[in-house]
Structures are given as structure tokens and as C-alpha cells.
Amino acid sequence: MRIVDIIDKKKKGYELTREEIDFFISSLVDKTMPDYQASAWLMAVWFQGMTDVETSYLTEAMINSGERIDFGDWTGKIVDKHSTGGVGDKVTITLIPVLAAAGIPIAKLSGKGLGHTGGTIDKLESIPGFSCALSIENLKRQVKDIGVAIGQQTGNLTPADGILYALRDVTATIDAKPLIASSVVSKKIAAGAGNIVLDVKYGSGAFMKTPEDAVELAKIMVNIGKHLNRPITAVVTSMEEPLGRAVGNSVEVIESIEFLKGNIVTGDIAELTYDFATIALMLTGNFVDEQTARDYVKEIILSGKALDKFRELIIAQGGNPAVVDDYGVFKQSKYKLEIPAETSGYVKKIDAYKVAYGCKLLGAGREKKGDPIDYSVGVFLNKKSGEAVQAGDILYTIYANDESKAELCKEYCSDAYEYCTEKPQKEKSIYAVIKPE
Ligand code: URA
């Protein structure tokens, strides 16, 4: 078998066999295939797509490229949650301590920033000392000891995803449904959780631009789960506007800590965290009544138990827990620019992609595979959609380390805001929930 023939076959739109996909993935992982051939194949998939059968084969090959975590008789209790990627999407950081404090063990493999979207690993690693590079043994031990661990795909956990993920990020091949589905589901299954909840995003800041495309992606992932005997629940949610107010790395962790302290009780971050926590509590059979589950989530947050669990997680993964009480412990940016509104009215919409692009220009994301990122930069949206604004009010704040980059970021962020004169209608947070049939 030759890689060039596999690329050519996909380029022409034919269905690849299991053997061809296995050969492609093993050549990728044992490095007998150069990056340029893998990149060409990714682009062929982007243009030609894959059938559901091919996508399942790809997912299996990616799972089998490394080890799988086996939690034994804990498997059915463990939850894993994953988002297909968004802007300001910090729901993993707000949700996971809540679930762990509620007695639901979490074993999560997260990703780094991808394209314009942020990555949970990058955000958490803005906490000085925090590392997601856990060995399988340490991840398992940590879940059993404190009920929560956040790892990353490593040399021996879905290594194929690690390589493809980094290549997709820099070859404009992220937003292909089979590539997203196989990347997400392979990590989830390899990580060993018995209950998988996916947040499938649509909108300007997501890889799927329409709710219909997100539903299609959600169905592909739920079907792969069915095929591989792992039930997946996919929740389709909007990413038209950044989630919460902070976009960046440490700024997002600070906003998450504020939520865990009980200081953020309304808005999209609070709504989605409550929604996902309630779904997880019901999925694991801990609750049958939705309102009782929701009330329990509230109790976990307001009692401080979720925040205590987050501190425990930081300590377990080598981070400095002082960040929880003193945000000055995070690396600080050199400049803080408060940008005033030029118009009065209501904020109608904030284009998530433009804000993300502005943040990337500040250095919050990567341009090339392996680039370092600047944890201290980002944007804080002082005004969000539906909120009244007077000319002169602070609209948003830029945290930067370079004045010219801050100016560029300002162009994108100011352009992201749209106004109207009447208070706009609020979008519902969940568009659809897809479960195995
Ligand atoms: N998250 C992943 O892990 N992979 C993708 O392709 C997109 C989001």
C-alpha cells in the first residue's frame, strides 16, 4: 500500500477501506509518512468528506493508535464532557469542579487552542505550575483520589489525534465534520468514561456555522458512539457570541473562578454550566427530577464546595492555588486599554469570530504548530448583547503586551459589536439534544 494512492483515492472522492485508514494512521504515528502527505490527505478529506463508515474506521484507528484508559467497575460512573470549540468557552472549567464536588468522577482529556478557538489546556496552564501532561497511571490515580483529572492526549493516548490536531490547526482543515467527529470521539473513548456529553457549537465563533450543520455533526458523533458501544449525548448550543465576558487564557480562568465563587449567577456561562451539570447528574442516574438536580447544582456552588474542588484540582496538577484568592498571581499584561462605546442603544450582537481573531493577534493563540502563547493577554467584554450602553461607557477592555497589537485587536473587536435601539430578544441556550436512538 502507498500513502500517495490513499491521498489520490480520497482526492477523487472514493470511500477508503478500513485497511487503508489503518495504514494511514499507523504511518502517521510511526512517522514513516511525512507531514506534507498527512496535510494533503487532510485537505482531500476537507473537500471530499467521509462516509459515516469511514469516519467510524478513522475514529477506531485513532483510538487504537495508543492506549485506552480502563477504569474497570468505575467506568459507568465516570463522566467526560467536551466542546467542539468556541470563543470564551470556559464551561469545562466551570462545570468539572461542580460535578466532582457533586460526587460524579470526571476523567477528561482536553485540547489546546485550535484555529481561532481557545483550548482548555492552554487556559488551565495559565495557572502558574499547572500541567495537563498526566501519565495514564497518574490520571487514573487522581480520579480515584480526588474525583477529577484533566489530561491531554499524550504520547500514548490517541497520539494520532495529537499529530492530526496540530496539523489541522495550521493547514485550514479544522472545520471538516469527519475530522472533528473522529478527533473528539477518539479522545473521549480512549479516556475511558462511561458517560460522554458533547457540546456541539454553531455560529460565527464555531467550526459549524449553522445549527443544521451542528446537528449533523452531533448525529455523526452519537452514531460513532453507538457503533463503538459508548453512549454519547450531544447538546447543540450557540456560539454566535463569545461565552461569558472573558476571551483569552488567564482572563477566562478568572471568570470561571468568579462563577465558582457564586459571583456570576446569570448569563450564558451560568446557564450552560447549570444545563450541563443537570444533564450529567441525570445521565449518571443520580437524579430523576430535573429541578431537584438543578437545585443541587446551586447548593454545590453556593456552599463553596465547587471552588474547594477546583483548588484541590489545581494542587493535584502542580498549579499554584493562590490564584483562586489573588488574581495577581497570574502573569500580568503590560497594558490595559478600556475602550469606550461611541454609540448609545443596546448591544445587538458581538461577532465571536472577530473577537477571537483580535485575541489571536494579541498572542492568545498560535499561528504555527508549537508556537508559544501569551497567557496574560485577552479581551473582557464589559457589555454583552441585550445590555444597554451609553456613548462613553466602557464597551470592552484589552489586555496586551504590545501597543500595536492592541490597536489591531481594537479594530476587530470594535467591528464585532452591532447595536440596535430596542432591547433584542434573548436566544435560548440549547438548540437541540441528540441522544442514541
Ligand atoms: N475539539 C477536538 O478535540 N477536536 C476537534 O477537532 C475540535 C474540537
Side-chain angles (χ1 to χ4, degrees):
M1 224 180 271
R2 295 189 323 151
I3 292 292
V4 68
D5 297 329
I6 296 175
I7 299 171
D8 189 50
K9 188 170 172 187
K10 186 66 338 211
K11 180 187 80 182
K12 291 174 178 154
Y14 296 113
E15 188 175 58
L16 298 176
T17 63
R18 185 193 277 278
E19 291 67 34
E20 285 163 336
I21 291 175
D22 285 349
F23 180 66
F24 174 84
I25 291 296
S26 60
S27 308
L28 178 83
V29 174
D30 68 18
K31 303 213 177 329
T32 48
M33 168 174 57
D35 275 3
Y36 52 81
Q37 283 190 311
S39 304
W41 182 85
L42 288 169
M43 192 55 87
V45 171
W46 193 93
F47 277 105
Q48 297 293 357
M50 281 183 139
T51 62
D52 282 0
V53 174
E54 277 179 298
T55 310
S56 281
Y57 291 157
L58 178 61
T59 310
E60 277 187 79
M62 286 165 72
I63 296 168
N64 295 335
S65 69
E67 290 176 48
R68 283 170 79 145
I69 304 180
D70 183 0
F71 284 102
D73 50 7
W74 274 50
T75 305
K77 301 198 277 188
I78 296 182
V79 170
D80 191 351
K81 173 261 171 196
H82 202 87
S83 157
T84 55
V87 180
D89 186 356
K90 54 201 71 79
V91 171
T92 291
I93 306 173
T94 54
L95 175 72
I96 269 162
V98 173
L99 292 182
I104 296 181
I106 310 282
K108 176 156 170 53
L109 282 197
S110 282
K112 296 193 178 202
L114 189 62
H116 64 279
T117 67
T120 301
I121 293 176
D122 295 328
K123 293 171 200 182
L124 285 172
E125 291 191 345
S126 72
I127 299 171
F130 196 105
S131 170
C132 291
L134 301 179
S135 68
I136 295 179
E137 277 323 303
N138 284 345
L139 189 134
K140 278 175 74 170
R141 192 176 325 116
Q142 194 177 308
V143 173
K144 297 218 165 167
D145 286 351
I146 66 162
V148 55
I150 304 191
Q152 63 191 51
Q153 80 50 236
T154 59
N156 45 4
L157 263 182
T158 56
D161 179 57
I163 304 169
L164 290 180
Y165 198 88
L167 281 176
R168 286 166 58 214
D169 192 20
V170 291
T171 55
T173 52
I174 299 167
D175 51 345
K177 292 186 189 94
L179 299 180
I180 297 177
S182 55
S183 163
V184 171
V185 178
S186 64
K187 279 197 286 284
K188 299 301 94 182
I189 293 185
N195 304 284
I196 300 171
V197 185
L198 301 179
D199 184 359
V200 186
K201 301 258 175 232
Y202 68 86
S204 116
F207 298 122
M208 297 296 108
K209 298 301 173 200
T210 64
E212 293 76 20
D213 272 334
V215 167
E216 205 184 299
L217 174 61
K219 285 184 177 161
I220 297 173
M221 297 200 278
V222 169
N223 278 336
I224 302 173
K226 214 165 116 188
H227 177 73
L228 299 177
N229 274 329
R230 203 52 71 91
I232 293 179
T233 301
V235 185
V236 177
T237 65
S238 170
M239 181 35 72
E240 291 294 0
E241 169 157 334
L243 266 182
R245 295 184 189 270
V247 183
N249 293 291
S250 60
V251 281
E252 291 197 33
V253 178
I254 292 171
E255 188 177 23
S256 307
I257 295 171
E258 284 296 302
F259 170 81
L260 294 171
K261 285 180 175 168
N263 296 336
I264 300 176
V265 291
T266 55
D268 48 12
I269 282 295
E271 277 168 29
L272 272 189
T273 308
Y274 271 81
D275 288 344
F276 275 100
T278 305
I279 289 172
L281 285 176
M282 295 183 69
L283 205 64
T284 46
N286 292 26
F287 285 84
V288 280
D289 175 57
E290 195 181 320
Q291 192 54 49
T292 318
R294 253 175 212 277
D295 292 345
Y296 186 55
V297 172
K298 189 168 177 188
E299 187 191 315
I300 292 288
I301 297 166
L302 297 186
S303 63
K305 287 184 185 149
L307 187 67
D308 288 346
K309 192 50 84 176
F310 189 53
R311 262 199 206 93
E312 234 181 311
L313 172 71
I314 295 175
I315 296 168
Q317 300 204 200
N320 183 351
V323 289
V324 171
D325 303 301
D326 177 3
Y327 300 146
V329 173
F330 284 103
K331 182 183 168 227
Q332 303 294 304
S333 68
K334 208 158 137 195
Y335 304 105
K336 176 180 173 190
L337 279 81
E338 292 179 329
I339 313 298
E342 287 173 8
T343 325
S344 298
Y346 286 93
V347 178
K348 181 176 176 206
K349 192 178 165 215
I350 307 171
D351 186 306
Y353 181 79
K354 288 180 185 164
V355 175
Y357 200 85
C359 284
K360 202 163 173 175
L361 292 174
L362 293 175
R366 296 179 181 79
E367 283 304 326
K368 295 192 306 300
K369 192 175 140 185
D371 274 353
I373 56 172
D374 188 341
Y375 293 129
S376 66
V377 298
V379 166
F380 186 85
L381 305 167
N382 300 74
K383 296 285 179 190
K384 284 209 61 182
S385 67
E387 292 178 352
V389 56
Q390 295 295 323
D393 285 353
I394 299 171
L395 195 57
Y396 63 92
T397 307
I398 298 178
Y399 296 91
N401 282 315
D402 179 305
E403 276 177 297
S404 59
K405 288 182 183 168
E407 274 310 310
L408 279 174
C409 173
K410 185 177 157 197
E411 278 175 33
Y412 279 91
C413 290
S414 292
D415 196 36
Y417 273 86
E418 262 183 55
Y419 303 89
C420 55
T421 48
E422 307 262 305
K423 193 171 166 63
Q425 290 281 324
K426 198 172 159 298
E427 241 188 63
K428 58 179 182 166
S429 55
I430 294 183
Y431 177 81
V433 178
I434 317 284
K435 292 184 177 175
E437 280 159 14

